[in-house]
Amino acid sequence: MDERAGAGTELASHPQSHLQSQLQPFDVDVERHLPAPAAAHVSPDADLAVSATSRSAENGSTSTAFLDGLRGLAAFFVFFQHCIGGFDDNVHEHGFGEGGHWHLASLPFVRILFNGGGAAVAIFFVLSGFVLSRSPLRLVRAAKTAACLWSLASAVVRRPIRLYAPTFAVTLAFAVLMHAPYHLVHELPWPQRKPDVFQEVANWVVSAYHYFNPFQTHSNEVWFDYGLVVWTIPIELKGSMLIYALAALLAAGPLSAPRSMLAWSISIVVLLQLGYWTMACFLAGLVLSGLDVYALDASFLSRHCSQRTRTVLHHLAFVVGYYLLCQPAHGGDPDYSLNTPGWRTLTRLAPAVYGKNQYYRYWTSWGALLLVYATLRLRWLQTLLQTRPLRYLGRVSFMFYLIHLPMQYIVGDRVALMLGHVPKDAEPTWWDNRLYVPDLGPPGFNTRFLLSMAVMFPLDLVVADFLTRWLDMPCVRLGKRLTQRLGIEQRVAVANRKAEGV
């Protein structure tokens, strides 16, 4: 499996090789923000429901459902990036003004739409830390220690099911579909198709057993055979367990919440300097959750700053975070960032431990922290993110994440061929130029790419919606039934009643 780390050159001959050689997926915080009724149905914990009611420390809002919209927007960025490269040879990944490249899609603040996969990963890890810690921290603040610890025990049991069961189902289905009639999945340079479906399934079992072992290092430099974007799933599991462990220490340990927040904040800086950006992002979400639940930043700023100054600071956090998330990110070539006006010094300040392949992770992690913080404090941004399309996209984002590349292999590649996007060295197919369209417009806004997205985006949403209803949510309910069978949910309820004196 290690040889996959250098598979980029082997993939270059594929019509959609950009999907595999430039993968920087969001993950996804896969504990989606559920509407309150659904959340109450599938889980007694608010850690499964970002829309669980809680008072925002700054603006008095009683809902954080707007984070669904942030997830949905990031999901769209990932989808867009993974589809665009084959239409413009990835020229959009150059910085604006770098090496004579002045593309509209490379403009600061615009480029995140076309090259935002790496930024979205950091955003979703921060969101995971925030969501998973919110309910435990609220219980700790309410002095419900026993209820907090039992809720964490329930989450520890449910989380692996929540993450791994849908991932296994989708990747196994793709392995089987590789042997479907009529070449439903066309020949790919990687993974290589096995002689028959039985050997394919056997290979999937062995690969999944090794790859999803959480006691190893995972990154987008080593891929799973049947799902190039699922490298984030084991990281999600490890980050989740870190959050649960720290929440348990806060509940049962000697440190107060403010001192714990200080220790965690210092840990974020240290982890980022050492190159452990994934766990730093989870910790950042935990700290943001603590600030929100305990209103630490709001009380401090209200004592020392006027309302206008607080508003300026929150908008500054938004602009700086947004800018950092837009770093030119091209794995293996830091010159894309070094030679871009406005990024030379920042790129050189990133710790050397990130190397050429991960150099952009440092600043996108800081950017995600600042952007999520600003989102929690700026009402106009919350209003924008609470629009129904974005919240819906957030609701189906896990399945959308898992299926968008298989859908590109099965349908998207053929749509591109039909529209006239036929690689010069590709063998002729029946699909070539069936609906030929002249390729007009600048990179990122060219006609063939936009028409292809007009077909693939709604189609992917239909499939993601179906799988959310019939695969994702049943897995959530499965985890809850297991904790009920183990008696954990009953202990949570008893602990809550005792704490309330009932």
Side-chain angles (χ1 to χ4, degrees):
M1 189 159 46
D2 290 338
E3 64 271 15
R4 303 296 186 246
T9 54
E10 178 186 353
L11 298 174
S13 61
H14 187 247
Q16 295 295 335
S17 63
H18 62 285
L19 296 174
Q20 297 168 312
S21 61
Q22 300 299 330
L23 283 175
Q24 300 165 351
F26 70 100
D27 147 307
V28 233
D29 163 29
V30 294
E31 295 288 8
R32 294 174 293 101
H33 297 185
L34 302 175
H41 177 66
V42 301
S43 173
D45 302 345
D47 66 343
L48 288 184
V50 176
S51 60
T53 57
S54 61
R55 183 165 297 276
S56 173
E58 179 68 19
N59 59 25
S61 173
T62 58
S63 173
T64 53
F66 50 86
L67 295 181
D68 243 347
L70 181 57
R71 173 178 292 106
L73 190 61
F76 185 74
F77 292 164
V78 173
F79 166 78
F80 224 60
Q81 176 179 337
H82 286 174
C83 296
I84 188 176
F87 288 88
D88 69 355
D89 295 324
N90 289 310
V91 298
H92 66 280
E93 295 189 356
H94 289 276
F96 190 74
E98 177 259 321
H101 292 277
W102 304 91
H103 308 294
L104 181 61
S106 300
L107 276 169
F109 302 107
V110 174
R111 64 173 300 109
I112 194 171
L113 173 62
F114 304 94
N115 191 211
V121 171
I123 290 173
F124 280 96
F125 285 165
V126 173
L127 284 177
S128 288
F130 182 90
V131 174
L132 297 176
S133 61
R134 191 168 186 78
S135 175
L137 293 185
R138 293 172 67 197
L139 290 172
V140 171
R141 188 184 185 191
K144 297 181 178 180
T145 301
C148 175
L149 294 176
W150 280 111
S151 294
L152 289 170
S154 173
V156 167
V157 173
R158 288 182 283 109
R159 188 63 166 165
I161 299 172
R162 179 72 180 85
L163 291 170
Y164 277 9
T167 304
F168 286 168
V170 171
T171 55
L172 177 58
F174 180 71
V176 172
L177 287 175
M178 290 176 65
H179 295 267
Y182 306 109
H183 296 283
L184 182 66
V185 179
H186 60 77
E187 197 72 35
L188 299 171
W190 182 80
Q192 291 291 327
R193 184 182 283 122
K194 300 298 181 288
D196 58 63
V197 68
F198 300 105
Q199 293 186 49
E200 201 74 67
V201 171
N203 187 66
W204 176 89
V205 171
V206 173
S207 298
Y209 174 80
H210 289 292
Y211 192 86
F212 290 99
N213 172 14
F215 300 102
Q216 60 181 328
T217 301
H218 292 88
S219 75
N220 66 330
E221 296 184 56
V222 181
W223 300 325
F224 178 55
D225 288 352
Y226 301 98
L228 305 186
V229 299
V230 302
W231 63 272
T232 58
I233 304 302
I235 295 175
E236 275 283 341
L237 181 60
K238 289 181 279 191
S240 302
M241 297 305 155
L242 174 64
I243 296 300
Y244 298 151
L246 292 176
L249 285 175
L250 176 63
L255 288 182
S256 64
R259 290 180 178 178
S260 296
M261 299 299 159
L262 177 60
W264 296 339
S265 299
I266 295 172
S267 298
I268 292 170
V269 176
V270 173
L271 287 172
L272 283 174
Q273 291 298 318
L274 295 176
Y276 298 106
W277 66 275
T278 56
M279 296 302 107
C281 286
F282 278 94
L283 267 183
L286 173 61
V287 169
L288 292 179
S289 182
L291 292 177
D292 208 49
V293 170
Y294 288 90
L296 297 176
D297 65 315
S299 64
F300 176 83
L301 291 175
S302 63
R303 290 196 306 267
H304 298 89
C305 304
S306 66
Q307 177 62 46
R308 175 174 294 182
T309 302
R310 297 198 299 271
T311 300
V312 170
L313 290 175
H314 294 151
H315 280 85
L316 182 63
F318 170 72
V319 173
V320 173
Y322 190 1
Y323 181 80
L324 294 178
L325 287 168
C326 293
Q327 180 177 7
H330 183 84
D333 198 345
D335 287 343
Y336 277 54
S337 184
L338 277 169
N339 297 329
T340 297
W343 271 103
R344 180 175 177 81
T345 300
L346 285 172
T347 305
R348 295 174 67 185
L349 287 174
V353 68
Y354 289 91
K356 291 185 176 181
N357 291 328
Q358 305 288 329
Y359 69 90
Y360 53 90
R361 300 293 188 186
Y362 180 74
W363 289 117
T364 53
S365 297
W366 283 113
L369 189 162
L370 291 171
L371 183 73
V372 174
Y373 174 73
T375 303
L376 294 168
R377 297 292 177 263
L378 296 175
R379 179 166 294 187
W380 68 265
L381 187 54
Q382 295 172 9
T383 301
L384 174 65
L385 294 172
Q386 285 189 115
T387 56
R388 291 183 64 183
L390 289 179
R391 289 186 62 189
Y392 169 77
L393 190 54
R395 186 174 70 83
V396 302
S397 60
F398 188 21
M399 291 297 100
F400 187 68
Y401 172 66
L402 291 179
I403 62 94
H404 75 277
L405 285 185
M407 287 294 293
Q408 192 67 20
Y409 300 145
I410 296 171
V411 182
D413 287 355
R414 292 179 169 93
V415 171
L417 293 174
M418 291 177 68
L419 295 175
H421 187 71
V422 182
K424 295 179 180 179
D425 57 348
E427 294 186 7
T429 70
W430 181 88
W431 305 93
D432 296 354
N433 302 312
R434 289 286 172 174
L435 298 173
Y436 180 83
V437 174
D439 200 26
L440 307 174
F445 300 91
N446 48 313
T447 52
R448 289 175 185 167
F449 171 66
L450 295 179
L451 285 172
S452 176
M453 293 303 95
V455 174
M456 293 307 302
F457 184 55
L459 184 60
D460 281 12
L461 285 181
V462 169
V463 176
D465 186 275
F466 176 83
L467 291 178
T468 297
R469 296 172 187 270
W470 298 103
L471 174 60
D472 190 19
M473 294 311 300
C475 289
V476 173
R477 292 191 289 269
L478 174 63
K480 184 184 178 183
R481 284 197 295 270
L482 178 58
T483 55
Q484 288 173 336
R485 289 286 184 89
L486 294 173
I488 299 176
E489 303 300 337
Q490 292 85 337
R491 290 182 178 272
V492 173
V494 170
N496 271 313
R497 287 197 295 270
K498 286 184 177 180
E500 294 169 359
V502 178

